[in-house]
Each structure stands twice: as C-alpha cells, then as structure tokens.
Amino acid sequence: MDERITLDDDHWLRVRETPWDTRAFGFSTAEILDVRYRDPQILDALVGAYLKAAREACVRFSYCRIDASDFPLRRALQAHGFYYAETAMLIANANVRAEAFGRAFRNDMSLSTPETDADFDEIRGLARDAFRYSRFHEDPNIPRQSAERRYFNWIDDLRLQEKEFLVYKAGGAIHAFVVFLVEGATATVILAGSQADKGFLSPFFWSSFLTGFQRRGIRRVEGIVSAANLGVLNLAVKLGFHVEWVRLGFHRCE
C-alpha cells in the first residue's frame, strides 16, 4: 500500500505500509505520511478514499501525525473514526557549537560505541523496559507489551540501518544509550534513554553526548519528544533546546 492517493492535483495524501509495526502488533498497519489539500470541504472525500484503500489492503491500524493547528484536518480525521493518541514536538538546538553544556551539568561521562552482541542484547532490553512515552506507549488501545516489543525490535532495525549508537557503561552494564544519525552538521537523536532506575543519569548523559557532538563539529541537534515527557522537555530547555513544531498523533483501529 505504499502509494499516493490522489483526488486531484490539490488534494492528495501519501501513505506507506509499516511492516515493522505489523511485526510487533500482529496485524497489518499503515502510516499516513503527508496530507495536502486546498479546499477543506474536500477532506472528507480524501480521508474516505484512504480508508477505502486501507480496507482493500486489509490494513487494521492506521496512524498519522499532523500539524496541531490544522483544525480542518483534525475534524475530518475524527469524523472518520480516528482518535487522538499523543502529542509530539520537534526540539532543536541550532547553535550547539556555542553552548557550554558543562555549565549546566557534568559532561565528562565516558561514552563508548557498543560492539558485541551482548551489548546490543542489553540495549534491546533497555529499550523494551525503560520507555513510557511514544506514539504507541501512549495509545490506550495498544497493549503495553506490544509497544514494548516494538521498541525491542526497533534496535535491530536501527542497527541494520547503520545508525550510530553510544552507551554509558558502569560495572560492566549499560546504563544509558543514544541512537542518532549525523547528516552534514546536523545530528538527529532518534532514541535516548536510561535504565528505569537510573533516570538521575540523564542530565549528565545528555550533556556528555552533546559535548561529543560539539567535538565532531556538529552545529544543530534535533529530535522528536513526547509532550507528556516533561522530564526530557525540561532537561532539553536547560541544554538550550527549543520547540520548532507540535504535531498531534491520530490513530484508527478497524
């Protein structure tokens, strides 16, 4: 179902099937990536066309994130059975090189690149057990075990995609990790977390890996954070980040 569903040149949407989520949840899933429209009155027909295509493809669960200020699209989605599930924010620090992260928090943690299968076993377990906020962790219609399984599986996907990993080890165990992508002078933080009982490490871990980014010449760091994750949002503010956009997550179950 990877396709563009088009009513005309001004009214179309782009969708993809998401086999990684299908694998975690046990039923077919798809994500609406983009919705374009000129006339809000046409949105009902456009969403209806998507749902028809989804049913033909046997998709049982659909989801999307849209601009929080797009009220016509919010109305159209809800009119067709989509429900609000979560709020996501893009946070960014666009001038990392000018920051003195060590003034906010200690920034001298020894970080390393995971190399062994045992390292990645630990990271998978941490990803499964340590997170409470995500587009699916926050959806009351998704069993928590399914959201945890998705994060567990995600580590292998990110590894296959050759994303970069850094970890903090103590006593031979991994206590925190971050996965990121560097493109030019921009680093995108994809996933970062610590053991559930080691949250107190987060300020020092973030300050340390951001300082490492500085040393690599990175100028901008960005990442998506749940609006419900106040701990990370408050930490990010102290480290010079600001919110660049807010999107609402809408989901639909057949």
Side-chain angles (χ1 to χ4, degrees):
M1 193 187 171
D2 295 353
E3 61 183 292
R4 175 166 148 161
I5 296 173
T6 303
L7 297 183
D8 56 47
D9 289 344
D10 294 321
H11 302 88
W12 54 268
L13 60 81
R14 189 162 50 90
V15 62
R16 65 176 177 182
E17 292 188 50
T18 51
W20 48 91
D21 293 332
T22 296
R23 187 168 77 249
F25 300 152
F27 48 78
S28 182
T29 61
E31 179 180 13
I32 299 172
L33 298 171
D34 193 14
V35 180
R36 299 299 176 93
Y37 68 93
R38 180 177 52 80
D39 182 354
Q41 300 299 318
I42 308 298
L43 275 173
D44 283 328
L46 182 58
V47 176
Y50 164 73
L51 292 176
K52 180 177 183 293
R55 292 188 186 103
E56 290 173 351
C58 298
V59 170
R60 285 185 51 197
F61 187 83
S62 302
Y63 54 94
C64 61
R65 280 176 172 157
I66 68 168
D67 189 311
S69 63
D70 193 337
F71 297 109
L73 183 53
R74 288 167 62 176
R75 184 205 61 77
L77 289 170
Q78 291 178 94
H80 284 272
F82 283 80
Y83 59 89
Y84 164 78
E86 48 97 30
T87 299
M89 298 179 173
L90 181 73
I91 59 171
N93 184 324
N95 194 18
V96 168
R97 289 169 57 177
E99 298 286 350
F101 294 115
R103 292 180 183 174
F105 304 105
R106 198 186 89 209
N107 64 342
D108 58 353
M109 294 177 82
S110 179
L111 307 183
S112 60
T113 301
E115 297 178 348
T116 68
D117 288 339
D119 286 338
F120 283 98
D121 285 343
E122 285 191 68
I123 294 170
R124 280 193 295 271
L126 202 159
R128 178 193 61 214
D129 299 335
F131 290 87
R132 297 292 177 268
Y133 304 102
S134 80
R135 70 195 317 171
F136 298 122
H137 284 84
E138 296 177 53
D139 185 334
N141 293 307
I142 294 291
R144 178 157 194 86
Q145 297 90 335
S146 296
E148 291 172 346
R149 185 165 56 248
R150 179 180 184 265
Y151 265 35
F152 182 92
N153 294 340
W154 195 13
I155 297 303
D156 284 339
D157 293 336
L158 293 170
R159 190 180 181 187
L160 287 171
Q161 294 163 13
E162 299 185 339
K163 299 298 190 291
E164 295 190 57
F165 287 72
L166 286 174
V167 299
Y168 168 67
K169 283 187 174 183
I174 293 174
H175 293 304
F177 76 95
V178 59
V179 190
F180 58 96
L181 170 67
V182 175
E183 295 179 303
T186 296
T188 300
V189 175
I190 299 168
L191 191 62
S194 58
Q195 290 184 1
D197 60 346
K198 299 289 191 302
F200 61 88
L201 294 174
S202 293
F204 317 117
F205 182 62
W206 275 72
S207 184
S208 296
F209 75 69
L210 289 171
T211 299
F213 288 171
Q214 281 181 321
R215 293 174 182 147
R216 289 181 58 169
I218 289 170
R219 299 183 179 184
R220 173 184 169 88
V221 179
E222 64 183 27
I224 295 176
V225 177
S226 167
N229 194 348
L230 296 180
V232 168
L233 286 172
N234 286 327
L235 170 60
V237 168
K238 291 181 181 178
L239 292 169
F241 286 75
H242 63 280
V243 176
E244 289 198 345
W245 53 244
V246 179
R247 292 182 181 165
L248 304 182
F250 285 92
H251 299 178
R252 189 182 192 280
C253 303
E254 287 291 344

